Amino acid sequence: VLAAMQAHLDLLAAAAQRRAEDVVQVVGAALVDGDRVLVAQRGGGSLAGLWEFPGGKVEPGESELAALVRECREELAVEIAPQAFLGEVPLPGVVAGGEPGASTLRVWWGRIESGDPVDHEHTELRWVRADELEALDWIPADRPLLPAVRALLARL
Ligand code: 9L3
Ligand code: MG
């Protein structure tokens, strides 16, 4: 009986481990300069042409903020300093085999410490004011974060 229970526990632990690995977390950066925030138009894939806060997937074993800094370096060729957490939304369609809704997009306010953004992965980069945000054709996941970004721009 004990051996059977142990085998069952092992199976449960393995399943939990698999789920944890299937959950992909995505981070995005709302990079602010004065009264403007940097927005980026995706170049390829199913979301081509839509606007987003630049960023990407957190790699296994990587911290969220390390991923944020790395993604901005890779996509924009800038060094950033994360300032504060702005908000998170569920990210449908990113999980492969994990629980639906387990993945989230977490967006952080950041400042550019060095470099001028270059569109290494995007079709276009644009610095926009708070009143220009709504009209852009956003990735559905990013749009619910706009009030938080507008509130940030309003208080800076
Ligand atoms: N995604 C959505 N909004 C964002 C970002 C940075 C990413 N602001 C989605 C698009 C992809 C997934 O997350 O489905 C992974 O992003 P990436 O690694 O392709 O940039
Ligand atoms: Mg990306």
Side-chain angles (χ1 to χ4, degrees):
V1 172
L2 281 178
M5 282 176 69
Q6 186 58 52
H8 187 60
L9 286 176
D10 289 346
L11 279 176
L12 285 177
Q17 181 64 28
R18 261 199 313 282
R19 268 204 299 281
E21 285 164 2
D22 285 340
V23 175
V24 177
Q25 297 303 339
V26 177
V27 286
L31 299 175
V32 174
D33 184 13
D35 62 351
R36 287 169 201 252
V37 61
L38 187 71
V39 297
Q41 190 178 39
R42 284 182 79 95
S46 60
L47 301 172
L50 301 182
W51 293 83
E52 68 174 6
F53 296 109
K57 295 172 185 167
V58 179
E59 290 173 356
E62 185 180 42
S63 77
E64 183 181 345
L65 288 181
L68 192 76
V69 169
R70 174 183 54 73
E71 288 286 345
C72 289
R73 193 180 292 141
E74 290 174 1
E75 297 190 349
L76 309 168
V78 293
E79 292 300 319
I80 69 140
Q83 302 293 310
F85 175 69
L86 281 183
E88 70 178 350
V89 290
L91 206 53
V94 175
V95 193
E99 287 175 19
S103 288
T104 55
L105 164 66
R106 290 170 54 85
V107 171
W108 289 75
W109 163 34
R111 294 187 194 278
I112 293 179
E113 297 274 88
S114 66
D116 277 318
V118 180
D119 52 357
H120 279 319
E121 289 188 17
H122 292 93
T123 305
E124 192 185 336
L125 302 177
R126 217 183 267 180
W127 288 100
V128 300
R129 287 188 313 265
D131 62 356
E132 299 171 295
L133 283 169
E134 205 66 42
L136 293 171
D137 197 3
W138 286 93
I139 296 178
D142 290 48
R143 191 174 277 284
L145 296 158
L146 297 186
V149 174
R150 265 200 306 275
L152 169 69
L153 289 169
R155 74 172 189 257
L156 286 181

